[in-house]
Amino acid sequence: MYSHKLLKPDGRKLKLYSRYPITSQLEAPSPSNEPVQANPHLRWHPLRGEWVAYASHRQGRTFMPPPEYNPLAPTTNPDFPTELPQGKYDVAVFDNRFPSLIPTANNPPDTIVETLPANGACEVVVFTQDARATLSSLELEHLDLLLEVWGDRTRELGLNPQIQYVLPFENKGVEVGVTLHHPHGQIYAYPFIPPVPARMLSMQQEYYEKHHRGLLQDLIQKEIADNQRIIYEDEYAIAFVPVCARYPYEVWIAPKEPVSNFMGLTPEQRWGLAKALKTVTLKYDGLWNRPFPYLMAWFGAPTDGLAHPEAHLHAEFFPPYRTSERLKYLAGTELAAGMFANDALPEEKAKELQAVMVNIEEPISA
Amino acid sequence: MYSHKLLKPDGRKLKLYSRYPITSQLEAPSPSNEPVQANPHLRWHPLRGEWVAYASHRQGRTFMPPPEYNPLAPTTNPDFPTELPQGKYDVAVFDNRFPSLIPTANNPPDTIVETLPANGACEVVVFTQDARATLSSLELEHLDLLLEVWGDRTRELGLNPQIQYVLPFENKGVEVGVTLHHPHGQIYAYPFIPPVPARMLSMQQEYYEKHHRGLLQDLIQKEIADNQRIIYEDEYAIAFVPVCARYPYEVWIAPKEPVSNFMGLTPEQRWGLAKALKTVTLKYDGLWNRPFPYLMAWFGAPTDGLAHPEAHLHAEFFPPYRTSERLKYLAGTELAAGMFANDALPEEKAKELQAVMVNIEEPISA
């Protein structure tokens, strides 16, 4: 993997990735040359025992681009610079213009609860230069590169001793609030282990200490033996609707053997995950013959400098639909109590996805 | 408070409430006479360490009501029975036809994770017979009755030794997925203390053991001293945008002194909460001069038979809007990591709500 670092005129960082060498003639554009003014802070929520991030952005929004303007497409019109230069590269990562966490946050306000600077990072990951692509339409080589990029981001962000946890995710579809359809994801790098990964790690640690094996490793073995909810399987990777799915079309992707983070993947495991990722997203899009919205997040080990043999890298997809016509709204029991009520059995939803035939080797036109 | 219990032809329970005696001549209708077939079960989510409820409902939906049909309005056309009889009463509570938890669940399936019958209860609380009312338009006496009804439900459901926690909530508005606009809420009664209340109780318990005072009690005192985010205050009750709001327009309502559940409220405290509830909902509706959607949930002590001096009854409102035009979608950091990112400061949103003038004594026409 080749990469090339650039600095935007507003001070934000840009890093380009490719399987081929990247020319150093590129200049990093930015939709605005004004430095990002963000200075987010954290407040402690004493009743839930968790941090909340506050970021108020008040930049003068004088920038009025044409309606077809796509800030994630490579810049072609110098009057309306985008986030990305023209040139040969496959994946691009840059600092979010509207970050909830930044490396240089300082002087949090005094409040009646504990506050901290919201030190961390928020990055945008542009999956491809092709505005009409989706993860399902990218070639396996491209997905394999993306998995390696997520590893590079985890490693590089994790070098910052402030950063304890790196979460790559993708929000996809208007149904989950996405207005920018150029294929992209985000990375949040936190100065603490956030509540959900913290809970998962503690459950995994407890299991590991008791059984000297991984919790997810053993669950995967049981899923394979049960053979009811598997969506994809090869020697190295697996995708399945988990027996305990909270969302009707929830799917998890993981290496079969426990690997604590992206950097620990062998090339074979990464290739297996690329195939699983392509299979799942193709099946999603094929289910109702239309783009399928979801939130996808990758959970690995913290970047806290400690060994995490309990951690097992995996992705979880949370799709908002419960049928082709009906959204699953998170309401009282999910948001206020934290108990999910799923009106579909994981076995049934897995059958629907199993029935969608896909060919991951065939190039797809967007 | 008067109440009257009835049994629906399909076996579900109905209870009517009023400040005046209720005639015993009423008969409980039901949109369908077929017994509810639900037999929900729970599966253990080993990675998150929480229960997930599964309920698949497969009743033949031959029932085709006219478009103006409102199943929560008192029955007027015998050809299309609703959930409620005609007659004089103010609040009605009945078993949900599509429950995720029922008292008689049994024989959960064998899966590769632990399963349990989803024993508990799901109730619908019809706030008034007036289909066009909202909590903001109801008279204080009516809200006071509703608070007492929530107490009666908590007490009665809590008598079932299976039930450990009772959560009354209201989902309001199409934005949160509500299609039925007759003013109503729901109650979930759980066979365990769900994750969110469990976390809150554990934070409160830790604080109580250390300080011999309530966590929320002290936070309220600090909110009063800080005097920046208060929306309503009288001698007994308070409403405020919490310093650690996760949603831009989040508001909490609580008695000032710690009371662990609805049943422990004095009449003065309950009246104060009614006034706070009316003030907050009127201000919400007045903010943009249109109905304001929200999720409202009431958190009290578990019904596990133990003393809970740490628990402090309070309501939390989670509104989905962040500005008049923009929804706050829960995405990667909120749903996958569990860290909320709020792009508004609680102090600013509190000012917006403080500026909305309301008169809670004046009758409002729907």
Side-chain angles (χ1 to χ4, degrees):
Chain A
M1 184 172 72
Y2 293 88
S3 66
H4 184 59
K5 285 188 179 185
L6 293 163
L7 202 64
K8 288 170 174 283
D10 59 7
R12 290 179 298 137
K13 296 185 296 298
L14 168 68
K15 194 168 180 182
L16 307 174
Y17 295 89
S18 177
R19 287 276 174 232
Y20 305 95
I22 299 168
T23 172
S24 55
Q25 306 301 309
L26 302 171
E27 268 189 44
S30 177
S32 159
N33 289 344
E34 285 175 41
V36 172
Q37 298 283 346
N39 186 22
H41 69 275
L42 301 172
R43 300 186 186 187
W44 182 246
H45 190 307
L47 207 48
R48 297 178 64 107
E50 67 187 37
W51 293 103
V52 182
Y54 296 89
S56 35
H57 302 287
R58 304 180 165 287
Q59 59 286 324
R61 288 194 182 258
T62 49
F63 175 67
M64 288 290 286
E68 69 278 14
Y69 175 79
N70 171 0
L72 302 187
T75 289
T76 51
N77 177 347
D79 292 340
F80 296 107
T82 65
E83 294 283 9
L84 298 184
Q86 282 192 287
K88 273 198 72 143
Y89 55 88
D90 295 305
V91 175
V93 178
F94 59 84
D95 292 328
N96 198 318
R97 277 180 75 202
F98 309 104
S100 300
L101 303 158
I102 60 169
T104 55
N106 57 61
N107 292 323
D110 270 335
T111 76
I112 60 171
V113 291
E114 194 186 345
T115 61
L116 282 178
N119 285 312
C122 288
E123 296 186 335
V124 177
V125 181
V126 182
F127 294 158
T128 167
Q129 294 194 26
D130 179 357
R132 294 168 308 165
T134 58
L135 288 189
S136 64
S137 76
L138 292 176
E139 290 184 13
L140 290 173
E141 290 76 7
H142 202 121
L143 295 175
D144 182 67
L145 175 71
L146 178 59
L147 288 157
E148 202 172 342
V149 169
W150 283 328
D152 184 68
R153 301 320 306 145
T154 306
R155 183 193 56 75
E156 191 171 325
L157 291 164
L159 288 176
N160 178 343
Q162 291 182 123
I163 289 175
Q164 304 287 299
Y165 198 85
V166 178
L167 184 86
F169 62 89
E170 180 192 10
N171 302 319
K172 180 168 175 283
V174 288
E175 296 89 342
V176 297
V178 177
T179 47
L180 190 53
H181 299 299
H182 193 114
H184 73 286
Q186 296 184 56
I187 292 174
Y188 269 48
Y190 301 90
F192 52 84
I193 306 175
V196 172
R199 175 74 172 168
M200 288 188 193
L201 287 160
S202 121
M203 297 305 293
Q204 289 176 93
Q205 195 167 5
E206 201 178 289
Y207 189 95
Y208 189 83
E209 281 168 11
K210 199 165 161 188
H211 301 279
H212 307 290
R213 285 181 56 85
L215 192 164
L216 185 53
Q217 179 186 20
D218 279 357
L219 186 67
I220 287 170
Q221 289 309 315
K222 288 178 194 161
E223 288 284 3
I224 292 171
D226 199 32
N227 197 23
Q228 288 196 75
R229 291 168 298 274
I230 294 171
I231 304 302
Y232 173 84
E233 188 186 354
D234 66 22
E235 194 180 340
Y236 302 102
I238 190 165
F240 54 100
V241 177
V243 61
C244 54
R246 297 180 307 142
Y247 296 83
Y249 292 99
E250 183 166 341
V251 169
W252 295 0
I253 293 176
K256 282 180 169 179
E257 292 301 309
V259 177
S260 68
N261 58 32
F262 287 108
M263 300 83 91
L265 293 170
T266 64
E268 291 77 15
Q269 288 173 320
R270 208 171 57 226
W271 189 252
L273 291 179
K275 289 197 283 185
L277 187 51
K278 178 145 180 133
T279 302
V280 170
T281 51
L282 272 177
K283 280 176 177 270
Y284 275 163
D285 290 343
L287 185 62
W288 301 315
N289 288 308
R290 67 184 197 214
F292 190 89
Y294 57 74
L295 161 62
M296 171 191 70
W298 285 86
F299 299 97
T303 57
D304 55 3
L306 305 173
H308 286 279
E310 81 282 12
H312 190 145
L313 176 72
H314 71 287
E316 299 189 8
F317 286 81
F318 303 156
Y321 279 102
R322 53 193 177 98
T323 69
S324 64
E325 303 301 325
R326 289 184 158 197
L327 290 167
K328 174 183 177 63
Y329 285 90
L330 303 189
T333 190
E334 288 88 4
L335 293 180
M339 186 199 78
F340 273 59
N342 189 341
D343 65 4
L345 293 180
E347 296 71 41
E348 294 165 2
K349 292 303 187 183
K351 272 205 193 87
E352 290 182 37
L353 291 171
Q354 285 160 354
V356 180
M357 291 297 134
V358 299
N359 182 349
I360 59 174
E361 307 294 345
E362 196 174 278
I364 307 282
S365 55
Chain B
M1 184 171 73
Y2 292 88
S3 66
H4 184 60
K5 285 188 179 186
L6 294 162
L7 203 63
K8 288 171 175 282
D10 59 5
R12 290 179 299 138
K13 296 185 297 297
L14 169 68
K15 194 169 179 181
L16 307 173
Y17 294 90
S18 177
R19 287 277 175 231
Y20 306 95
I22 299 169
T23 173
S24 54
Q25 307 301 308
L26 302 171
E27 267 188 46
S30 176
S32 160
N33 290 345
E34 285 176 40
V36 171
Q37 297 284 347
N39 186 22
H41 68 276
L42 301 172
R43 299 186 186 188
W44 182 246
H45 190 306
L47 207 47
R48 298 179 63 107
E50 66 187 38
W51 292 103
V52 182
Y54 297 88
S56 35
H57 302 288
R58 302 180 167 287
Q59 60 286 321
R61 288 193 182 260
T62 48
F63 176 68
M64 287 291 285
E68 68 277 16
Y69 173 80
N70 171 359
L72 302 187
T75 289
T76 51
N77 177 347
D79 291 341
F80 295 106
T82 66
E83 294 283 9
L84 298 184
Q86 283 192 288
K88 272 197 74 142
Y89 56 88
D90 295 305
V91 175
V93 178
F94 58 85
D95 291 329
N96 198 319
R97 276 180 75 203
F98 309 104
S100 300
L101 304 158
I102 60 169
T104 55
N106 57 62
N107 293 323
D110 269 335
T111 76
I112 59 171
V113 292
E114 193 186 346
T115 61
L116 283 177
N119 285 312
C122 289
E123 297 186 336
V124 176
V125 181
V126 181
F127 295 158
T128 166
Q129 294 194 25
D130 179 358
R132 293 168 307 166
T134 58
L135 287 189
S136 64
S137 76
L138 292 177
E139 290 184 13
L140 290 174
E141 289 76 6
H142 202 121
L143 294 176
D144 181 66
L145 175 71
L146 178 59
L147 287 157
E148 203 172 341
V149 169
W150 283 328
D152 184 67
R153 300 320 306 146
T154 306
R155 182 194 57 73
E156 191 171 323
L157 291 164
L159 288 176
N160 178 344
Q162 292 183 121
I163 289 174
Q164 305 286 300
Y165 198 84
V166 178
L167 184 85
F169 62 90
E170 180 191 9
N171 301 321
K172 181 169 173 281
V174 287
E175 295 88 343
V176 297
V178 177
T179 47
L180 189 54
H181 298 300
H182 192 115
H184 72 286
Q186 296 184 57
I187 291 174
Y188 269 48
Y190 300 90
F192 51 85
I193 306 176
V196 173
R199 176 75 174 168
M200 288 188 192
L201 287 160
S202 121
M203 298 305 292
Q204 290 176 93
Q205 195 167 5
E206 199 178 292
Y207 189 95
Y208 189 83
E209 281 169 10
K210 199 166 161 188
H211 300 280
H212 307 289
R213 285 179 56 85
L215 192 164
L216 186 52
Q217 178 186 21
D218 279 357
L219 185 68
I220 287 170
Q221 288 310 313
K222 288 177 194 162
E223 288 285 3
I224 292 171
D226 199 31
N227 196 25
Q228 288 196 74
R229 291 168 299 274
I230 294 171
I231 304 302
Y232 173 84
E233 188 187 355
D234 66 22
E235 193 180 340
Y236 301 102
I238 189 164
F240 54 99
V241 177
V243 61
C244 54
R246 296 180 308 142
Y247 296 84
Y249 291 99
E250 183 167 341
V251 169
W252 295 0
I253 294 177
K256 283 181 168 177
E257 292 300 310
V259 176
S260 68
N261 58 31
F262 287 109
M263 301 83 91
L265 293 170
T266 64
E268 292 77 16
Q269 287 174 320
R270 207 171 57 227
W271 189 252
L273 290 179
K275 289 197 284 184
L277 187 52
K278 180 147 178 128
T279 302
V280 170
T281 50
L282 272 176
K283 279 175 177 272
Y284 275 161
D285 289 344
L287 185 62
W288 300 317
N289 288 309
R290 67 183 198 217
F292 190 89
Y294 56 73
L295 161 62
M296 171 191 70
W298 286 85
F299 298 96
T303 56
D304 55 2
L306 305 173
H308 286 279
E310 81 282 12
H312 190 145
L313 176 73
H314 72 287
E316 299 191 8
F317 286 81
F318 303 157
Y321 278 103
R322 52 194 179 97
T323 68
S324 64
E325 302 302 324
R326 289 183 159 198
L327 291 166
K328 174 183 178 62
Y329 285 90
L330 302 189
T333 190
E334 288 88 3
L335 293 180
M339 186 198 78
F340 273 59
N342 188 340
D343 64 4
L345 293 179
E347 296 72 42
E348 294 164 2
K349 292 302 187 184
K351 270 204 193 89
E352 289 181 37
L353 291 171
Q354 285 160 353
V356 180
M357 292 296 135
V358 299
N359 182 348
I360 58 173
E361 307 294 344
E362 198 176 275
I364 308 280
S365 56

